[in-house]
Amino acid sequence: YPPENLARFGEFAFQTAARYGSRTHDSEALLSGDAKSGLNLLNVYSLWNEPNLNNPRWGHFIGSMEEYFEMFRYGAQAIQRADPQARVASAGFAGTDTALLDRLLRYEYTDGSHPADYIDILNVHDYTGRQAPETARIDTNADRGDDAEPGLSFEERLMRLTHWRNYRLSGRPIWLTE
């Protein structure tokens, strides 16, 4: 479920990046008992897992994509405040469907910015079930959602994703993390 208090979620993200990121902070800014920061153990943060699979019975994020985007911004901004060298990856979206990814550009915050403005890495998941990716024509996970593009091969899905990225988020890497 989305956090009840987005500011507290942002503080959690800040504290995590302050501790495990590359930048040290004054102990007054830290909430941990040992006040350690700048451990330089993490430099990429992915905020949540598959928020587009939000079925209350089995989903990873039980909320709307709008709620996810609001939460994401709090986390992404907090991470950048804590460690400006850190990179923020989008959630590992289930599927590579470009209609889903267009939401990163369409959703608008009150200041006119968009979720894509806070993403350094585009993170997606593609599942082919028991079929080899080279022959699969289904993404078993993404086909549960509303945005699925049925019948495309794994290679076709990756080509569409790459084309979309080149046109919409040029220069940002794509990570296929599951």
Side-chain angles (χ1 to χ4, degrees):
Y1 293 93
E4 291 180 14
N5 184 319
L6 294 176
R8 285 183 70 197
F9 176 76
E11 184 62 30
F12 163 77
F14 175 87
Q15 294 295 322
T16 301
R19 182 175 187 88
Y20 298 108
S22 64
R23 183 175 169 201
T24 58
H25 293 267
D26 292 331
S27 60
E28 299 85 45
L30 304 172
L31 298 177
S32 63
D34 62 9
K36 288 184 180 180
S37 68
L39 297 177
N40 204 25
L41 297 173
L42 294 175
N43 60 10
V44 176
Y45 299 83
S46 181
L47 297 171
W48 221 269
N49 182 54
E50 300 178 347
N52 55 313
L53 298 183
N54 55 9
N55 185 304
R57 290 177 286 139
W58 49 261
H60 296 287
F61 184 79
I62 311 306
S64 68
M65 286 301 293
E66 291 77 16
E67 289 172 304
Y68 169 73
F69 289 144
E70 291 296 325
M71 181 195 78
F72 172 80
R73 182 180 180 178
Y74 272 82
Q77 288 182 314
I79 288 165
Q80 287 298 303
R81 253 190 350 269
D83 185 1
Q85 300 303 311
R87 295 185 294 165
V88 175
S90 66
F93 291 109
T96 59
D97 183 55
T98 56
L100 166 66
L101 299 175
D102 273 336
R103 293 168 137 182
L104 296 169
L105 300 162
R106 282 195 324 259
Y107 185 79
E108 189 169 321
Y109 298 113
T110 56
D111 66 357
S113 65
H114 306 273
D117 297 329
Y118 303 97
I119 292 172
D120 301 306
I121 298 165
L122 186 59
N123 182 10
V124 295
H125 302 162
D126 192 276
Y127 298 95
T128 58
R130 294 178 181 217
Q131 292 183 313
E134 297 81 6
T135 60
R137 291 198 129 356
I138 187 170
D139 178 336
T140 58
N141 219 0
D143 286 344
R144 295 179 184 186
D146 296 333
D147 298 319
E149 293 176 282
L152 299 178
S153 71
F154 178 70
E155 183 178 2
E156 289 167 328
R157 289 193 300 273
L158 291 182
M159 288 172 56
R160 278 187 176 202
L161 174 63
T162 301
H163 177 75
W164 180 89
R165 185 275 318 264
N166 291 347
Y167 183 68
R168 304 277 194 211
L169 297 175
S170 182
R172 298 188 201 163
I174 297 170
W175 286 10
L176 187 62
T177 57
E178 283 188 29

